[in-house]
Structures are given as C-alpha cells and as structure tokens.
Amino acid sequence: SRIIAKAMYLLEKYIGVCIANIKTRKFDSYFQQGDRVSREIDPNKAQFLFKRKLFLDDLRALPQDIKNNVQNFDYIQAVRDVVHDIYPLQEHDAVMLGALQLRAEFGSLENMEKMLKNDIVKRFGPKMYVEGNEREWKNAVLRTVSSLPLETDLATCRNDYIDFLHSRCALYGSWFFYVEQKVDPRLPHEMFVAINTSGVYFIQVKTKERLLHLQFTEICSWGYSSSSFSLVTGNM
C-alpha cells in the first residue's frame, strides 16, 4: 500500500494528473519528508510517466474537471513522445510544436528568452532535429512563438499543442507494437503496428514511414495467440 500511495502522490503532485475524488492529502502520511524514498526523488529529473493506450476523440460528454485532467495527461504524454521521436514530423511542424510548448510552459516571451538555455531547449523538440543544433533550434522556436497570439490560459495553450499535433500527425493517439510479419512479401519483416481510432497502421521501424493504413471496415476478422496475431482484410 505504501508503494501505491507514493505513486499516487507523485502522479498528482508532480505530474499534475488527478485521480477522480482523491486528494493528495490522503497520502501525506505515507510520504513524509523523513522518508528515505522521498529524499531520493528529484521531481525535476523524474522520468516515471503513466501512459494510456486508449484515446477518446470526443470528450464533450465528460464533466469539466475530468476533461481538464485528461487534457493535462494527454499534453504531458504528447510532449514526451514528440521529444523522443515517436511521431514522424516535418521540421517546420516540430518548430511550431516547440513554440506552442514554450507558450504553455513559460507564458511571456521575456520569460521564454531567459529560461530557454541550451540544456533546456532539448525538451522543446524532437531529438532528431534538436541535438547538435541547439542554438539554431532555440532561435527558430523563439521566432515562431513571437508570432503567436498572446494566450495566458494554460488549458487553452495545452489544447492548442494537442490539436496541432493531431492535425499534423495521423499516428497521434496510437499504441505501438513491434512485430515480425511472415506473410506479406510487400512489407518488411520488421515493423511497428500502430492502432488508433482511425484504424491500423503498418510503420517502418527506423524512419516511421507509413507503409499501409487499414480502416477498421477493411478488417474482416482477426485472431491471436500468446506469441502472434493475424489480420484478415478485404471489403465486406
């Protein structure tokens, strides 16, 4: 129970995702400053991240507090996946995402220029574009964010980031599986299979190039075992 309590406490306090009807004060007694684990945790360096597999397109039916929590969760996960090159992005789109992230996290342009040092700028764009080009990336992101309209509402800023990523990357909101396929000679032996609300995507491992997209209406049947799965496609 202590481990679960610590996880919930960290999730709410440092990541900002709340569990419905649960407050962090319930876990304060489990997470005192004298605790060895709490002394060893640096929230600025923590890499522990809950990730969800299922994404909802329409949140309108949810209560506002839950929508805010879902949006916060989505934003944190989306930023992490962009920085770690999970999604294939054009460079100009990645610059815009870096600018939207800056606006969401630092607010005014003055604060951005002070905070965006070379060791920090790596958190504001895909590794493939940023690493080794920190100064150029910083300048590009600052130029872009200066052209954006002023927005002080945090929820709106985070929603702008998610909406832009969704509009530029069809794989956003996917759960990825590494597979070795043995049937279709048109496709490589090693691939990622990405599944989201738009269907099933077959992805090249290194470049993240989309090799094939199947809508759910094109999948006639499917099956699986502990070590494999199969899809049967065609028009029904």
Side-chain angles (χ1 to χ4, degrees):
S1 61
R2 285 173 58 83
I3 294 175
I4 295 174
K6 291 178 190 298
M8 289 182 173
Y9 181 96
L10 289 173
L11 179 63
E12 295 195 12
K13 184 173 183 180
Y14 295 129
I15 300 179
V17 178
C18 297
I19 301 172
N21 300 320
I22 295 179
K23 303 299 183 183
T24 57
R25 64 175 179 270
K26 285 191 173 184
F27 308 109
D28 286 348
S29 60
Y30 290 97
F31 200 76
Q32 300 298 327
Q33 290 301 314
D35 190 294
R36 178 182 62 81
V37 176
S38 67
R39 292 199 306 270
E40 294 176 355
I41 293 176
D42 182 350
N44 295 319
K45 297 180 180 179
Q47 297 296 315
F48 183 68
L49 176 66
F50 286 99
K51 299 184 71 175
R52 66 189 181 100
K53 301 179 182 181
L54 301 177
F55 289 75
L56 302 176
D57 280 342
D58 190 352
L59 305 178
R60 288 175 295 180
L62 297 177
Q64 187 60 45
D65 59 336
I66 295 179
K67 284 195 290 186
N68 291 341
N69 293 337
V70 170
Q71 181 193 66
N72 189 34
F73 197 106
D74 286 352
Y75 172 79
I76 295 170
Q77 181 169 331
V79 167
R80 187 267 177 195
D81 289 346
V82 167
V83 170
H84 287 81
D85 298 322
I86 299 300
Y87 298 125
L89 292 164
Q90 298 294 322
E91 185 171 357
H92 61 274
D93 290 335
V95 170
M96 176 59 75
L97 285 169
L100 291 170
Q101 183 186 349
L102 268 180
R103 190 178 68 166
E105 297 187 14
F106 290 150
S108 71
L109 185 60
E110 180 182 359
N111 291 336
M112 297 173 194
E113 292 175 346
K114 291 179 179 178
M115 295 295 297
L116 198 60
K117 300 177 181 179
N118 285 350
D119 59 331
I120 301 296
V121 74
K122 295 179 181 179
R123 294 169 34 208
F124 291 86
K127 290 182 178 180
M128 64 178 295
Y129 294 130
V130 179
E131 288 188 350
N133 300 293
E134 286 82 1
R135 180 176 297 179
E136 294 82 359
W137 190 261
K138 172 182 176 179
N139 293 335
V141 169
L142 287 174
R143 284 196 305 270
T144 302
V145 77
S146 66
S147 68
L148 296 175
L150 179 64
E151 179 56 68
T152 58
D153 182 70
L154 179 60
T156 300
C157 291
R158 292 183 170 185
N159 194 56
D160 287 346
Y161 184 97
I162 295 169
D163 285 347
F164 186 82
L165 175 59
H166 201 179
S167 70
R168 292 299 189 272
C169 183
L171 297 180
Y172 172 72
S174 299
W175 193 249
F176 291 81
F177 301 87
Y178 171 79
V179 300
E180 296 178 350
Q181 72 93 16
K182 302 178 180 180
V183 177
D184 195 332
R186 300 170 300 172
L187 298 173
H189 176 61
E190 298 178 87
M191 296 183 299
F192 285 121
V193 171
I195 303 174
N196 63 26
T197 56
S198 298
V200 179
Y201 297 84
F202 296 85
I203 310 297
Q204 210 277 343
V205 171
K206 291 184 178 180
T207 66
K208 302 296 195 324
E209 174 191 358
R210 279 196 295 168
L211 304 171
L212 179 64
H213 172 217
L214 295 174
Q215 297 181 0
F216 292 119
T217 54
E218 299 178 79
I219 300 174
C220 299
S221 64
W222 59 277
Y224 71 95
S225 69
S226 60
S227 60
S228 65
F229 74 92
S230 62
L231 298 175
V232 179
T233 63
N235 294 323
M236 297 183 66

